[in-house]
Amino acid sequence: MQKEKILVIGASGQIGVELTLALRKIYGNSNVIASDLREENPLLHGSGPYVSMDVMNKEMLHVQVIRQGITQIYLLAAILSATGEKNPSLAWNLNMQSLLNVLDIAKEEKLTKVYWPSSIAVFGPTSPRQNCPQKTIIEPTTVYGISKYAGEFWCNYYFNKYGVDVRSLRYPGLISYKSAPGGGTTDYAVEIYLEALEEKKYECFLEEDTYLPMMYMPDAIRATIELMEAPKEKINIRTSYNLSAMSFSPKEISAEIKKHIPEFEMSYKPDYRQQIANSWPQSIDAAVAAADWGWKPEYDLGKMTEDMLENLR
Ligand code: NAD
Ligand code: SER
C-alpha cells in the first residue's frame, strides 16, 4: 500500500486545527503537513510539520506538493458566508481559485485523493426548507453559496474528466471549542457558549426562531475521515454529500444552556446575517450519505451542550 503524505491547507482555522490533529493520529505526525496563510495555530505547535503558504500562489503550492511528496490534499482555505457578503469578489476569487489550483495539481501529480468541503449554503430560498434532499432546486443567494455550488461542479468535472478522486461534504454550521470560527452566519452557536460562561448573557445576531442545520465538530471530523476512507466504489456523489446531525434555533440553544447556567440571559439584535440564515434550509436530509458510506451522527443539542460547557470550563 502506498504511504500517504497529506497536506492540509487552511490548517489554522476552525476545522483545520482539529482535522490536522485527527489526521496526525491516523497517519503519523510527520506525514501530515499543516499549512496556512496565517501563522501556525498554537494548538498545532509541536505536533507536526507546518509550512506558511498562500494557496493562491499555484507555483509555490506545486513546489511544496512535489518537494514534500504529497499524495492527498485537504483544502480548507475559504472565505465564509458573512465575511463573503462584505467582500464578494475576494470570496469568489479565493474560494474558486484555491480549488482550481488544487484540482489542477492533483490531476498533474496524480494525487490519490483530494478533500474539499462544500456547505448547506449552496441551498437558497427556493430549496425545500425542511429535510432538504440531496438533489433538489439549488439557487444560492450569497456569494459564498454560489462559490460552493460552482466548486461542487468543478469537483464533479475533475472526477469525470480526469479521474481525480475528489470528495466533498456539505457541512452544516459547525460548533467547536478549540479554534475560533472564521466569519460564518452560524458562528453565534459557538459565541453563545463562551459568553454564557464568561458574561452569563449573550446578544444574538439572529432572531430567536431561526432554525439552522448544525453539527458538533467531533461528528464533522469523523464524517470527513469516514468519507475519505470509504472505498471508491461507495462514493456515488461527486459534487458534494448532504450531511446532517441536528437543527435548532437560538431560543432552543439558549434554553439548553440555561439548564446548566440558570442565570444565563439571551437578547436578540438581528443584523445582515439574518437574511443569509433565512435563505438556508432549516434541516437537511443526509439519507444518501447514510446509504453510500454509512453516515450516522452521535451528538444532539443536549449532548453537545454538556460537552462544550465542560471543555470550555
Ligand atoms: P476558517 O475561516 O476558520 O479557516 C480557514 C483558514 O484558511 C484560515 O485559517 C485562513 O487563514 C486560511 N486561509 C485563508 N486564505 C488563505 C490562503 N490564501 N492561503 C492559505 N490559507 C488561507 O474556516 P473553517 O470554518 O475552518 O472552514 C473550512 C472549510 O469548511 C471552508 O471551505 C468552509 O467553507 C467550510 N465550511 C465550514 C463550516 C463551518 O461552520 N465552519 C460550515 C460549512 C463549510
Ligand atoms: N457555517 C458556515 C457559515 O455560516 C456554513 O457554511 O458560513
Side-chain angles (χ1 to χ4, degrees), residues 80-82 119-121 144 171-174 183-186 280:
L80 278 81
S81 62
S119 161
I120 53 147
Y144 175 67
Y171 289 133
L174 299 181
T185 304
T186 56
W280 293 345

Side-chain angles (χ1 to χ4, degrees), residues 13-15 36-38 54-55 76 118 144 148 171-172 174:
Q14 189 194 7
I15 303 172
D36 205 292
L37 193 58
R38 285 197 260 177
D54 182 354
V55 67
L76 304 173
S118 182
Y144 175 67
K148 288 295 181 186
Y171 289 133
L174 299 181

Side-chain angles (χ1 to χ4, degrees), residues 2 10 22 38 81 90 132 170 187 202 227 287 289 293 299 304:
Q2 184 185 1
R38 285 197 260 177
S81 62
L90 180 71
C132 188
R170 290 173 180 158
D187 292 5
Y202 178 64
L227 172 79
W293 46 275
Y299 286 88
M304 173 179 78

